[in-house]
Amino acid sequence: MEKKKVIIDCDPGIDDSLALLLALKSEELEVIGITIVCGNVPVDLGVENALKALEIADALHVPVYLGENKPLKRELVTAQDTHGEDGVGECFFGKIKDGNVRDGAVDFIVDTLKNNKDISIIALGPLTNIAKAIMTDKEAFNNLSEFVSMGGAFRIHGNCSPVAEFNYWVDPHGADYVFKNLNKKIHMVGLDVTRKIVLTPNIIELIKRFNDNVSKYIVDITRFYVDFHWNQEGIIGCVINDPLAVAYFIDRSICSGFSSYTEIVHDGIAMGQSIVDKEKFYGKEDNSYILTEVDEKKFMLMFLEKLFKDKKNILKAVKEVI
Ligand code: RIB
Ligand code: CA
């Protein structure tokens, strides 16, 4: 089967790191580059955390590009309360000496799209890099194959305000610019579906039993995140948003939804809200596909089977845990 070539734009971040593992261990994908954007953590920390995920996945050859260090107009507000000071659960792993780190995330996106017609982008953070790339060369995006964004919320409450999801709240101007100028359908994997993807204590205990470097890394980086979820939302376990965007890109049957016109609110009490015009009040052309349903079990089995390929028999035997 021909691999799908993807650029992953992200702000690692605990769930971004899990999403990178999933993408790097999926034979359906060829990750041709990872572009880092400010969001969960400042961009330089994001680069460090991406390198750690690449080391765990034995994929340090994949280039990591430094991207925008602040949103288009807002000042950067990070989520280090959620992801830890270091952005990966305060494991403080230390610097990765190897790795293929380069400047120029925006130029990499533009140049890659200009010279290839089979590239997709999976965006797991604020859309600042993507907005800057479109501003740099909108034409190049005519070659873009597909675009999936973890972000937004349709009918479910936000996680940064009653209505706003973090990625679109951090840089609402960037998000809205992308929704208005990408000229490709944005598959919006929002909180409506990602909130249903929970690493429960049972699943974390199962992962711990697999006892390899991937399992240790996952258990270590999610510990802080589990505490945050209990203290903040009274959830036992932790919601892992970003891996669902990768899983959906690989297998569209995992989620379902509808086509719509969507805008992002720039400021005021609803700043960052994704306004999804499902009833077509504005009469504008659909620019997005809004995911509202998800097969959680199908996701979790894919996630675990791809990360622990040699444990497939165990996973089949413990399906009820999942
Ligand atoms: O709102 C959740 C999203 O914001 C996830 O992508 C998380 O990593 C943060 O970037
Ligand atoms: Ca993210």
Side-chain angles (χ1 to χ4, degrees):
M1 142 201 39
E2 198 171 327
K3 288 177 179 278
K4 285 185 170 181
K5 293 180 180 177
V6 292
I7 293 171
I8 299 184
D9 188 74
C10 55
D11 61 332
I14 292 167
D15 57 336
D16 301 72
S17 301
L18 300 178
L20 288 176
L21 286 187
L22 178 60
L24 293 162
K25 287 181 167 287
S26 295
E27 65 273 5
E28 297 89 343
L29 304 183
E30 180 187 348
V31 181
I32 61 167
I34 296 169
T35 51
I36 306 299
V37 66
C38 60
N40 285 322
V41 291
V43 69
D44 54 339
L45 256 186
V47 168
E48 288 306 315
N49 295 335
L51 286 176
K52 184 63 187 177
L54 286 173
E55 180 191 63
I56 294 293
D58 197 18
L60 277 169
H61 62 282
V62 176
V64 177
Y65 293 85
L66 187 72
E68 296 301 304
N69 63 9
K70 67 181 292 299
L72 290 191
K73 293 189 176 170
R74 292 192 68 201
E75 287 309 309
L76 175 62
V77 176
T78 70
Q80 286 165 283
D81 62 331
T82 309
H83 294 261
E85 269 313 296
D86 65 347
V88 277
E90 304 203 341
C91 295
F92 300 111
F93 289 118
K95 275 196 180 306
I96 306 285
K97 289 183 185 48
D98 307 332
N100 185 356
V101 179
R102 304 171 188 176
D103 286 331
V106 171
D107 289 342
F108 167 70
I109 293 168
V110 169
D111 295 345
T112 303
L113 292 180
K114 241 182 344 197
N115 300 304
N116 299 275
K117 283 190 176 302
D118 56 353
I119 308 295
S120 294
I121 295 176
I122 304 174
L124 305 175
L127 295 178
T128 317
N129 285 345
I130 311 302
K132 287 274 184 138
I134 298 171
M135 290 172 187
T136 304
D137 185 343
K138 192 169 184 179
E139 285 270 300
F141 281 79
N142 294 339
N143 287 345
L144 177 67
S145 181
E146 297 179 283
F147 188 82
V148 174
S149 164
M150 189 280 133
F154 170 52
R155 287 255 190 270
I156 197 167
H157 67 277
N159 57 11
C160 284
S161 82
V163 294
E165 174 280 328
F166 179 82
N167 286 333
Y168 296 176
W169 177 84
V170 163
D171 188 355
H173 303 89
D176 195 44
Y177 187 87
V178 172
F179 273 80
K180 287 194 171 99
N181 294 279
L182 184 71
N183 293 337
K184 290 271 176 186
K185 196 148 267 192
I186 296 172
H187 295 255
M188 192 181 95
V189 181
L191 295 176
D192 306 85
V193 287
T194 67
R195 266 218 176 89
K196 295 176 183 168
I197 306 300
V198 181
L199 273 190
T200 64
N202 260 0
I203 294 176
I204 294 173
E205 187 59 30
L206 174 65
I207 290 172
K208 194 188 292 179
R209 299 291 169 196
F210 290 157
N211 197 28
D212 62 16
N213 68 322
V214 173
S215 66
K216 185 175 182 332
Y217 172 71
I218 293 173
V219 171
D220 287 346
I221 69 172
T222 53
R223 198 170 288 115
F224 183 98
Y225 203 39
V226 168
D227 291 344
F228 172 84
H229 278 78
W230 170 248
N231 297 326
Q232 189 74 15
E233 300 200 18
I235 292 175
I236 298 279
C238 59
V239 171
I240 52 170
N241 305 281
D242 294 334
L244 182 60
V246 172
Y248 167 74
F249 180 77
I250 293 168
D251 178 354
R252 298 296 144 95
S253 70
I254 285 184
C255 296
S256 61
F258 60 89
S259 186
S260 179
Y261 174 75
T262 301
E263 268 192 47
I264 311 300
V265 178
H266 288 196
D267 42 37
I269 192 170
M271 179 180 72
Q273 183 176 10
S274 44
I275 304 287
V276 177
D277 184 20
K278 188 170 188 290
E279 286 70 32
K280 315 252 181 262
F281 287 103
Y282 304 141
K284 291 195 174 180
E285 192 182 335
D286 291 357
N287 60 356
S288 50
Y289 189 73
I290 308 300
L291 283 314
T292 54
E293 304 297 329
V294 57
D295 183 337
E296 302 94 297
K297 276 196 179 244
K298 188 168 192 175
F299 164 82
M300 199 55 77
L301 206 52
M302 176 206 266
F303 180 70
L304 294 171
E305 284 186 347
K306 286 185 178 298
L307 264 52
F308 302 102
K309 289 185 177 61
D310 58 338
K311 309 287 192 311
K312 271 187 180 167
N313 297 337
I314 299 174
L315 289 168
K316 289 263 187 302
V318 292
K319 252 186 175 178
E320 67 285 353
V321 166
I322 298 164

